[in-house]
Amino acid sequence: MNKYHHLYEQLIQHTNKDNVLVNEPIREHTYTKLGGAADFYITPSTYEEVQAIIRFANQEDVPFTMLGNGSNLIVKDGGIRGIVMNLQQLSSIWREGDKVISQSGARIIDASRFALNEELAGLEFACGIPGSVGGALYMNAGAYGGEIKDALESTIVATKDGELLTLTADQLDLSYRTSNIPDNGYIVLEATFALKSGNKEEIKEMMDDLTYKRESKQPLEYPSCGSVFKRPPGFFAGKLIQDCNLQGKQIGGAEVSTKHAGFIVNKSNATASEYISLIQFVQATVKERFDVQLEREVRIIGDDVEG
Ligand SMILES: Cc1cc2nc3c(=O)[nH]c(=O)nc-3n(C[C@H](O)[C@H](O)[C@H](O)COP(=O)(O)OP(=O)(O)OC[C@H]3O[C@@H](n4cnc5c(N)ncnc54)[C@H](O)[C@@H]3O)c2cc1C
C-alpha cells in the first residue's frame, strides 16, 4: 500500500474514478519501458479537473509530476511518489483561420498531420517527434532545422496554484531544448500554432523525406528515449561517442545503439539503474577522452528502489 493511499476517496471527488489508477507501472507509459510504479496515475478529462487536482495536491502536500508521452524521460526503478498526471484525454486539435490549436495531450505528430490535411505549413519538422504537444513545448522540441519556437504563437497553462494563464510564445523563453516551463511549474494545457497556407504535396514531400531520414538513421526497433544528450557547442554527441568506440557497449540490458551512437536502447529488459549507469559511463568516457561534458537532454525522475 502506498503512503498516500488514504487520499484515494478524496481524489476521486475531483475526477471520474476510472481516471485514477493506483500503483500503476510507469514502464507501460514510457518509451524506454523503464520505471517502477506511480502511486496515483491520473488522466483528467477537463481543464477544471486539472485545476482541482493541482489544488488538491497542494492542499494535501502530495508530490505532483506531469507525464506527457514519456518519450524524454527515464523513470527510476522505485517509481514516482504521489500523483502523476497525464493529459491523454485532452487531445483535441482544431483549426481557426491559419492557426492550429491543440490540447496538450495530443501527440505533436498528430498536430503535424492535422496541419498537413488542412494544407497548412510550419509543423513539418515535428512529424516524427514522439512526444505530446505539452512535452514538446516544455523542451522546445525540434528536428531537422525546425523547432516549436518557430511555430508557436501562444499557450494556455495552469500555474502551480491551479490558475489558468494565456501566455505568448515569447513569455516561455524558448531556446535550444529548453523553456521556462520547468522553473515556473506551468502545466501546459493548450497550444496555438501560427502556420501558413501551403501546398499539400510539398508539405507531404517534406514530411516523407524527414520520416525516411529518421527511420534510416534511428534505432526505432528498440525502446529508447531518443537522443540522450544535447548537442555540445562545436561538437556532435553521436560522433564523440562513436569515436570513443562505445557503440555496442552494454550494461545489463541497456546498450549504446550500434545504429546511432547518440541513442541508448533498452535491448533486453534493462532496469532504469542499468540504463542510467550506461549514460554515466558514456559521459565519463567522453569527458576523459575529449574533455567535453555531455549534458543530458533526457530527464531522470523518480525514486531508487528502497533497501
Ligand atoms: C525515438 C525518439 C525520437 C525522438 N526524436 C526527437 C527529436 O527529433 N527532437 C526532439 O526535440 N525530441 C525528440 N525526442 C524526445 C521527445 O520526443 C521530446 O523531448 C518530446 O518533446 C517529449 O515529449 P513527451 O510528451 O514525451 O514528454 P515526457 O517525456 O512525458 O516529459 C518530458 C518533460 O516534459 C514535461 N511535460 C510533459 N507534458 C507536460 C505538460 N502538459 N505540461 C508541463 N510539462 C509537461 C514532463 O513533466 C517532463 O519533465 C525523441 C524521442 C524518442 C523516443
Side-chain angles (χ1 to χ4, degrees):
M1 188 178 301
N2 75 57
K3 181 181 163 193
Y4 299 98
H5 198 265
H6 64 286
L7 295 173
Y8 177 76
E9 291 299 331
Q10 290 178 58
L11 204 42
I12 58 172
Q13 305 301 313
H14 298 294
T15 183
N16 189 307
K17 197 170 180 257
D18 295 341
N19 297 341
V20 182
L21 302 177
V22 181
N23 295 335
E24 175 66 4
I26 223 70
R27 68 182 67 240
E28 308 289 337
H29 306 279
T30 59
Y31 265 73
T32 48
K33 300 287 169 224
L34 301 171
D39 291 343
F40 295 117
Y41 185 81
I42 308 186
T43 51
S45 50
T46 65
Y47 295 169
E48 290 74 22
E49 289 181 3
V50 173
Q51 293 175 275
I53 292 161
I54 296 170
R55 289 181 177 136
F56 176 77
N58 288 339
Q59 179 194 315
E60 300 295 333
D61 203 18
V62 186
F64 178 92
T65 305
M66 274 307 296
L67 183 75
N69 260 3
S71 65
N72 200 37
L73 275 181
I74 295 168
V75 178
K76 291 187 184 177
D77 298 311
I80 306 180
R81 301 291 68 81
I83 293 172
V84 172
M85 188 190 277
N86 172 275
L87 302 181
Q88 66 192 37
Q89 292 209 68
L90 291 164
S91 59
S92 302
I93 305 174
W94 65 99
R95 174 180 185 161
E96 284 178 20
D98 282 351
K99 294 171 189 176
V100 166
I101 303 173
S102 172
Q103 291 187 314
S104 68
R107 300 186 315 156
I108 189 76
I109 289 178
D110 290 334
S112 174
R113 286 188 192 144
F114 179 90
L116 164 70
N117 288 330
E118 295 291 324
E119 305 190 23
L120 290 171
L123 277 180
E124 296 86 334
F125 74 89
C127 69
I129 301 177
S132 65
V133 167
L137 264 59
Y138 180 96
M139 58 95 76
N140 186 28
Y144 302 110
E147 56 182 358
I148 289 294
K149 188 175 189 240
D150 305 331
L152 187 70
E153 180 177 272
S154 64
T155 177
I156 298 176
V157 301
T159 66
K160 281 191 271 198
D161 300 324
E163 300 300 321
L164 298 192
L165 281 183
T166 300
L167 302 172
T168 61
D170 284 349
Q171 288 175 290
L172 293 183
D173 290 341
L174 300 167
S175 63
Y176 176 63
R177 303 298 170 263
T178 63
S179 72
N180 63 21
I181 294 172
D183 287 347
N184 289 310
Y186 293 144
I187 309 246
V188 179
L189 296 178
E190 205 172 289
T192 297
F193 298 105
L195 306 178
K196 286 200 179 73
S197 174
N199 174 294
K200 190 167 184 179
E201 287 313 309
E202 284 172 18
I203 298 171
K204 184 166 185 313
E205 205 174 306
M206 180 178 289
M207 285 168 65
D208 288 346
D209 181 44
L210 297 184
T211 303
Y212 172 76
K213 285 189 177 132
R214 193 176 280 275
E215 287 176 353
S216 58
K217 291 199 179 115
Q218 298 185 354
L220 302 179
E221 59 279 25
Y222 292 113
S224 83
C225 56
S227 298
V228 179
F229 305 104
K230 295 187 183 186
R231 198 174 52 234
F235 299 93
F236 287 100
K239 175 84 170 67
L240 294 170
I241 296 166
Q242 205 175 353
D243 291 348
C244 288
N245 292 321
L246 285 173
Q247 283 184 282
K249 165 76 187 168
Q250 294 186 350
I251 294 185
E255 180 183 276
V256 178
S257 167
T258 49
K259 191 167 174 187
H260 186 314
F263 278 54
I264 290 179
V265 294
N266 180 354
K267 200 160 179 198
S268 51
N269 301 316
T271 61
S273 153
E274 290 164 353
Y275 204 96
I276 294 166
S277 297
L278 188 53
I279 292 176
Q280 290 165 345
F281 182 84
V282 169
Q283 284 174 314
T285 309
V286 168
K287 174 78 180 149
E288 193 183 308
R289 172 93 191 270
F290 295 109
D291 197 25
V292 175
Q293 185 61 49
L294 290 181
E295 192 191 334
R296 266 192 286 110
E297 178 173 306
V298 62
R299 290 194 66 216
I300 299 176
I301 61 169
D303 291 354
D304 289 313
V305 177
E306 277 178 31

